Amino acid sequence: MPKEKSDALFLLIKSLKKSEKRYFKVSVNAESDSASRKYVRLFELIDAQTHFNENDILRKDSSLNPTQLSNLKSHLYKKILQCIRQYNQGSVIDIQIREMIDYAQILFNRSLYDQCASVLKKAKKQAQKIGNLELQLEILKWEKNVLNQTVGPGNQVRVNKIIEEVQDCNNRINNINIFTNLAAKLNASYMKIGFIRNESDYDRITGMFKASLPVYEEQKLSLDEKLNLYNLYVGYYFFIQDFENGYKYARKWVNLFEQYKQIKVSKLESYIRAINNLLIAQYKLYKYYEFVQTSRQLREIRHFPRNVMNENIQLRLLKYTYVHEFNRFFMLGDFEIGVALMNKIKPGLEQFINQIDNHSKLIMYYKMSCLYFGNGDYHEAIFWLNRILNSENVDIREDIHSFARILNLISHYELGNVDVIDYYIRSTYRFLLKKDDLHNFQKYILNFLKKLSYQITEDELIPEFEKLRNQLIPLKKNPYEKRAFIYFDIIEWLESKIQKKPVGKVIRAKADAILREEKEG
């Protein structure tokens, strides 16, 4: 247990920004006593370490008593948290409201009920402004306490009003719990299989969604209810590949932050997720000019107050920036520029990858492999695909594992590695059957590659590419086959083979046509 506490203190200190460290030292030094000096000294010794080592601390400062060190660390931990709270309270409205509630409690305990009611009124106004229902409920609790201590005309009316507000708050919080619970269930399924694979998946997901959703009137929902409802709908529609409706709710989600600008900081994580989901929808629907505009909104977040830009937010921003920059290259067919950027960021890439979660790693690996494939760098594409194929996390995003195997096969074909294709085809068949993910798209490609590996002459090659293209095109309209083109649009690769052009040029020509149409429209 002491070791865990020490590690926690070390990690807390390492998480502080320079300005927060400076604020802590100034605040504690201002107390001007021997204990405060010890806190600052211990803080500096731990901050200087790369790994926590208690013996090293005691060796470097003999004034620190080993028997008192445990208590000193515990008090230092609390003091740091208090300073972080004070440092951030000017920019985080939630902290300001909680502070007002604390003041109200102090005034109540001193029987200063009128002053208590006045503070609660201000706190309530702020809580309603940012739509924080939990804080509103806490304020209502203290309003009831004050009401019980003050008898006056209209008390019954005031009691009834508070009871109604409490009931309303509880109902809204209950709605939010239903929305977030359902979103968590859907996300757990999505993390396993990815986009729905068949009618059975569709029936299961839509059945769960419709059975769990409460009755509501959207225009009467609170801000927090809407934020969580739109998040739920975006996840649901993306899951069933209805990107038009996913776009609609992602747009509503982002628009809420434009309507209530003051919550961008207090609900920054939700704001970033909203922008990320809108970018995903714009990418899937090829709304390029909107995509560029929304990308600017994502970049603008880097200029938010430094005290809210914690490590989690910074990492999330960096991750989304990379992913959507890749998506922009895919939309335009700018694979050469994308690879140049990749080579530029490579030195710090492994450190970044080690910091992100396993799901995000899979996404990054697949995006990078597609980028190199599009540029004709098949060895590099296989390198990143192998990161997926050799991963132990095969139960996370089974769809990415499946299509990584398809792309790996095509990459080996491009390199002329005919000797390994037959092995990889058998291995891919086994994997797809095991994961219940062998559909017409995969069958057509696997049969095609098997034939190419030893049966096709040079004269027959182009007709076979055309035959596969004609087999695959109708699948784009099939609700359960079209997901294959989300991961890798093999039609464009086939067109590049038929036209004897690099795949990047084919995609760029298609992009130019779509962009002209979007601009004119």
Side-chain angles (χ1 to χ4, degrees), residues 230-253 274 277-278 280-282 285:
Y230 298 160
N231 175 45
L232 169 62
Y233 267 110
V234 168
Y236 167 68
Y237 282 123
F238 280 4
F239 198 173
I240 64 171
Q241 301 174 67
D242 183 349
F243 294 110
E244 288 285 356
N245 273 313
Y247 167 77
K248 170 186 164 185
Y249 279 97
R251 173 60 71 191
K252 281 186 166 191
W253 191 2
N277 280 284
L278 182 56
I280 291 171
Q282 289 164 341
L285 298 173

Side-chain angles (χ1 to χ4, degrees), residues 16 46 190 222 230 234 309 334 384 434 458 508:
L16 299 177
I46 294 175
Y190 176 73
S222 67
Y230 298 160
V234 168
M309 299 297 290
D334 283 340
W384 292 107
K434 182 180 178 183
E458 192 68 30
R508 272 195 296 277

Side-chain angles (χ1 to χ4, degrees), residues 159-221:
V159 167
N160 290 339
K161 187 173 183 299
I162 288 176
I163 290 171
E164 285 176 14
E165 287 182 27
V166 169
Q167 188 61 51
D168 181 64
C169 253
N170 279 324
N171 289 341
R172 294 183 186 282
I173 289 170
N174 185 53
N175 277 341
I176 289 171
N177 285 332
I178 293 172
F179 297 154
T180 54
N181 288 345
L182 182 52
K185 280 184 181 178
L186 289 173
N187 190 56
S189 292
Y190 176 73
M191 284 292 181
K192 178 170 173 57
I193 67 170
F195 299 106
I196 57 166
R197 302 162 297 182
N198 46 45
E199 191 173 355
S200 174
D201 282 349
Y202 178 81
D203 291 341
R204 179 173 62 85
I205 296 305
T206 54
M208 179 204 302
F209 184 78
K210 290 173 182 176
S212 304
L213 206 61
V215 177
Y216 65 87
E217 293 181 56
E218 188 175 333
Q219 66 273 19
K220 292 184 179 179
L221 296 179

Side-chain angles (χ1 to χ4, degrees), residues 340-401:
L341 175 66
M342 272 293 299
N343 292 334
K344 188 177 178 181
I345 64 174
K346 256 187 180 180
L349 197 58
E350 287 299 334
Q351 183 182 351
F352 166 71
I353 287 172
N354 289 333
Q355 288 178 290
I356 59 179
D357 59 276
N358 288 329
H359 176 244
S360 297
K361 284 177 185 176
L362 286 178
I363 299 291
M364 290 294 294
Y365 293 154
Y366 195 77
K367 293 281 183 189
M368 288 187 281
S369 60
C370 287
L371 188 68
Y372 282 109
F373 183 95
N375 199 47
D377 298 342
Y378 303 111
H379 285 292
E380 198 69 23
I382 289 170
F383 171 81
W384 292 107
L385 288 167
N386 281 336
R387 291 278 188 104
I388 300 173
L389 304 186
N390 298 329
S391 167
E392 295 177 358
N393 302 304
V394 291
D395 291 328
I396 299 175
R397 291 299 299 273
E398 293 172 355
D399 55 337
I400 291 179
H401 285 275

Side-chain angles (χ1 to χ4, degrees), residues 415-426:
L415 290 171
N417 298 333
V418 179
D419 52 327
V420 300
I421 286 178
D422 193 50
Y423 165 76
Y424 279 125
I425 286 173
R426 290 197 303 273

Side-chain angles (χ1 to χ4, degrees), residues 15-169:
S15 75
L16 299 177
K17 301 179 183 68
K18 285 184 180 179
S19 56
E20 289 174 327
K21 290 176 182 179
R22 185 166 56 251
Y23 182 85
F24 169 79
K25 290 178 184 178
V26 170
S27 298
V28 177
N29 278 327
E31 295 174 15
S32 302
D33 54 36
S34 59
S36 298
R37 286 192 292 274
K38 282 188 177 181
Y39 290 135
V40 172
R41 179 61 179 150
L42 179 58
F43 178 93
E44 290 173 339
L45 288 168
I46 294 175
D47 189 32
Q49 292 185 325
T50 52
H51 302 284
F52 184 79
N53 187 320
E54 193 170 288
N55 293 329
D56 187 50
I57 289 169
L58 294 170
R59 188 165 53 251
K60 286 186 175 179
D61 195 326
S62 57
S63 69
L64 296 174
N65 189 329
T67 60
Q68 297 175 343
L69 190 59
S70 179
N71 281 336
L72 193 61
K73 288 186 296 187
S74 179
H75 283 99
L76 174 58
Y77 190 90
K78 290 176 185 176
K79 276 189 172 291
I80 293 170
L81 288 178
Q82 287 168 359
C83 282
I84 293 173
R85 186 179 188 276
Q86 290 167 5
Y87 181 82
N88 289 295
Q89 70 181 27
S91 58
V92 183
I93 299 175
D94 300 61
I95 293 178
Q96 295 171 26
I97 296 168
R98 288 191 188 96
E99 186 177 54
M100 284 191 274
I101 294 171
D102 291 342
Y103 292 159
Q105 182 174 356
I106 291 167
L107 293 167
F108 181 89
N109 291 340
R110 291 173 180 271
S111 301
L112 299 171
Y113 304 122
D114 288 342
Q115 294 180 44
C116 176
S118 178
V119 172
L120 289 171
K121 186 178 178 180
K122 291 176 185 174
K124 191 176 191 178
K125 187 177 179 181
Q126 290 295 320
Q128 288 171 338
K129 189 176 179 181
I130 64 168
N132 191 313
L133 294 164
E134 285 78 9
L135 288 177
Q136 289 179 51
L137 202 58
E138 177 73 7
I139 292 164
L140 286 166
K141 181 193 83 173
W142 282 105
E143 284 187 335
K144 280 192 289 186
N145 289 342
V146 170
L147 203 57
N148 289 334
Q149 300 298 326
T150 55
V151 179
N155 250 39
Q156 189 60 52
V157 173
R158 289 162 64 199
V159 167
N160 290 339
K161 187 173 183 299
I162 288 176
I163 290 171
E164 285 176 14
E165 287 182 27
V166 169
Q167 188 61 51
D168 181 64
C169 253

